[in-house]
Amino acid sequence: MKNKKISYTIAAKDPATHMFQVTMTIEAPAAEGQVLVLPAWIPGSYMIREFSRNIVQIRAEASGQPVELSKLDKHSWQAAPCKGKLTVHYEVYAWDLSVRAAHLDQTHGFFNGTSVFLRAVGQEGDPHVVDIQRPAHEAAAKWRVATALKELKARRYGFGTYVAQDYDELIDSPVEMGTFEMASFKALGVQHDVVFTGRVPNLDIARVCADLKQICETQIAFFEPRTKKAPMDRYVFMTMVVGDGYGGLEHRASTALFCSRADLPTTAQKGKEPSEGYMKFLGLCSHEYFHTWNVKRIKPAVFAPYDYQAENYTPLLWLFEGFTSYYDDLMLVRAGLLSEEGYFKMLGKTVGAVLRGSGRTKQSVADSSFDAWGKYYRQDENSANAIVSYYAKGSLIGLALDLTIRAKTNGKRSLDDIMRALWQKFGRDFYNGKPRGVTPEDVEALFDNVAGFKLKTFFDKYIRGTEDVPLAKLLPQFGVSYKDERKSSKPGLDVNIGREGADCKLSAVHDGGAAQKAGLSANDLLVAIDGLRVSGNPSNVDGLLSRYKVGETVQVHAFRRDELMAFDVVLQGDRVPGITIAVEQQKTSLRRPTA
């Protein structure tokens, strides 16, 4: 059938019910009965989320007659054989205020396609058209639409029909609708839209655009130094602003972001130095934008194509998330937005965070990548003692590899050359008829070839193994000092402390620490230290312990469940890493791609 397509309409009659109403039309359903499936996870967030649980009602019809739907499993249905077009009506509950799913109320609507668009099995490669309808509610009278989908009969930023070349593009193009604040800029000729949903009085959106333009142009030129050509025709930054939040999810031509209101610049702050929170926001934008190349086009082989119904295991997330984490802040330096001093301060915090947990001695970043589905995305109170972050340690591996290559080649080659080689071989033509993913064997062979020497020992120690990356040895070769100044004379319990109401709660108890040796456990509520009450403020614990010396014994009372328990704790010196990294002499510049 010529011009065959899958069509959807999505609407919300009353946003207060948090319910999207979706109609799906399949022009040529499978003769044996069309199978319909909703994804179980969303690419970029490696956890089975079972979005189908939010489908409240579903029914089907053809030629005005009901068509029976049989449930195959928790996220799949099969329609009975029918003649003519098959139309499926269903409702999706949307009350997950995150970048991963869907959310709808009187203030805005947001959805990822993985949460709302059923897949017509066997017809994923056909064009997919979606009619985004304005909610009838009076609160939506002035709403607009932001999405990277191409307009079919809609005007840009308006309600109406949009088109995707296939199902993959459809669900990789989130939609935000509401009375958002928006501005645009061009980065090396490509339009970039910046959208903020949520109340942000006096938002300095001009500053945000100017800073993002520098980041985007730096990254485009990084991957395409000769052509300066971006891999998309248009890009959209969609940001949900809340009182307290942080996070993002990458897509092929857009990103969905979460940030705290206080992190954004205001017009009242013009001319002032950017706040730490704003630099954190720019780093998030830089991270998700870098994914436009690294994971959305340069992909693990198991993502080409995605299996949307099950875990897609790969040992390579240290490359796709870790290296992206290495480059996100580095790109801020190269774009002239972050000083080298500021960069090294952030780097020191990352090193300290990695060294803080003993999980790094038990799990490699390759295993952490593979186990992301069951461990990294399902963390509990013992995670610091059991796992390592392929984001954080992966970023340090990126730095160590970069420094190693630069040192051994006298600055003639660097990690930049490896990233560009990955782009040229695996990413540039991914959506141009050559969708080839990268295997672990491809990665190691390409790294060896570009570096000009074998990196097996490096992989065995730091990627497949659990050794700490040797930054204390590598950084001084480039005039950068590395110091670990732990406060060994400061007494501590070696725990992470949080609040639970007015109580002080142990959120994590570290391996081999004073608290663990005494028998304290995560989730215990501290009551008193040597008879003095512990308040819900974590600093109160430090204040009480400051009266003692390392090696002294204190009695700690704590509630475990509803039982009061007593523990004799021998205080240890503070084991929290105190990493300081700073430039001593200028041997290299982070703004330059090579030493």
Side-chain angles (χ1 to χ4, degrees), residues 8 113 182 191 197 218 251 274 277 295 312 340 368 372 392 479 526 557:
Y8 305 84
M182 190 192 77
Q191 180 171 329
T197 300
T218 299
H251 299 279
V295 91
N312 292 198
E340 293 185 4
S368 178
L526 296 188
H557 283 86

Side-chain angles (χ1 to χ4, degrees), residues 192 216 219-220 223 230-232 234-235 237 250-255 285-299 324 423 427 430-431:
H192 290 64
C216 295
Q219 293 195 19
I220 294 169
F223 281 101
M232 82 298 285
R234 184 170 69 96
Y235 191 90
F237 290 94
E250 69 275 2
H251 299 279
R252 68 176 72 180
S254 61
T255 181
C285 293
S286 178
H287 182 99
E288 304 305 340
Y289 195 71
F290 198 85
H291 273 316
T292 307
W293 293 266
N294 194 35
V295 91
K296 297 313 299 184
R297 288 166 176 81
I298 309 167
K299 296 188 182 191
T324 299
W423 169 243
F430 190 89
Y431 294 121

